[in-house]
Amino acid sequence: MNRVFWAGLLMCLALAGCGKESAPATEAALAFHPSDECHVCGMVITDFPGPKGAAVAADGVKKFCSPAEMLGWWLQPENHRADVKLYVHDMGRSHWNAPDDAHLIDARTAWFVVGSGLKGAMGVVLASFADAQAAQKLAHDTGGRVLRLEDIDQKLLGQATMNH
Ligand code: CU1
């Protein structure tokens, strides 16, 4: 293998977009509009502060008023598929009251803070971040806990809803 090959491969990995699913195409489809209603609760998504969720499956894009509502939907056996792409806002690059659709990230790689005391929409508030340190800082400042996607189950989503 020559150097040029490896340089090209690394560049490709760094851009994380070698394939056809480049960010701009999905970004437009994922953007939240004032008329968008939550797939689970039917509420108008942009009426709420905090991060939102969008799930992309073969049959289209579903939008959710919060990461918790999206994960509650995804964790149901009939929806729990590996090929469903899950997106949440990166709150490290957004104001809490105005999550920026330019900064939607893969929920499978995100860091979530539960118990921050921040206000969101339905369900437990999961503050989502691309950056582990940003999540750890919020958790440290508020007494919350940092979770990965695999730490989040229906029990956690349900319990926290009662405290909400
Ligand atoms: Cu909802």
Side-chain angles (χ1 to χ4, degrees):
M1 297 296 168
N2 64 41
R3 273 175 138 149
V4 173
F5 171 83
W6 286 112
L9 180 66
L10 287 175
M11 179 65 77
C12 185
L13 291 173
L15 293 173
C18 253
K20 294 210 163 61
E21 300 161 64
S22 58
T26 44
E27 198 184 299
L30 295 177
F32 293 88
H33 304 290
S35 58
D36 286 341
E37 293 174 359
C38 175
H39 180 67
V40 173
C41 70
M43 298 205 285
V44 174
I45 294 171
T46 55
D47 283 356
F48 297 92
K52 316 290 186 268
V56 182
D59 61 347
V61 180
K62 294 178 176 63
K63 297 179 186 178
F64 302 85
C65 65
S66 66
E69 289 256 291
M70 176 175 73
L71 296 177
W73 169 85
W74 180 65
L75 286 168
Q76 289 165 18
E78 66 272 27
N79 305 320
H80 198 212
R81 298 168 50 112
D83 63 345
V84 175
K85 295 199 171 113
L86 303 168
Y87 295 92
V88 292
H89 286 107
D90 175 12
M91 299 315 289
R93 290 183 290 172
S94 277
H95 188 278
W96 185 262
N97 292 324
D100 186 340
D101 297 339
H103 300 303
L104 286 159
I105 54 170
D106 182 349
R108 288 178 172 84
T109 62
W111 302 81
F112 296 93
V113 177
V114 66
S116 67
L118 288 162
K119 296 279 176 266
M122 296 292 290
V124 53
V125 176
L126 298 169
S128 39
F129 294 91
D131 178 39
Q133 283 186 342
Q136 277 151 7
K137 182 177 187 307
L138 175 64
H140 180 263
D141 291 351
T142 62
R145 266 192 311 141
V146 178
L147 305 171
R148 304 309 304 269
L149 185 70
E150 56 270 24
D151 302 322
I152 298 168
D153 56 17
Q154 294 284 17
K155 190 169 162 223
L156 181 128
L157 296 174
Q159 272 182 355
T161 304
M162 285 188 280
N163 299 333
H164 189 55

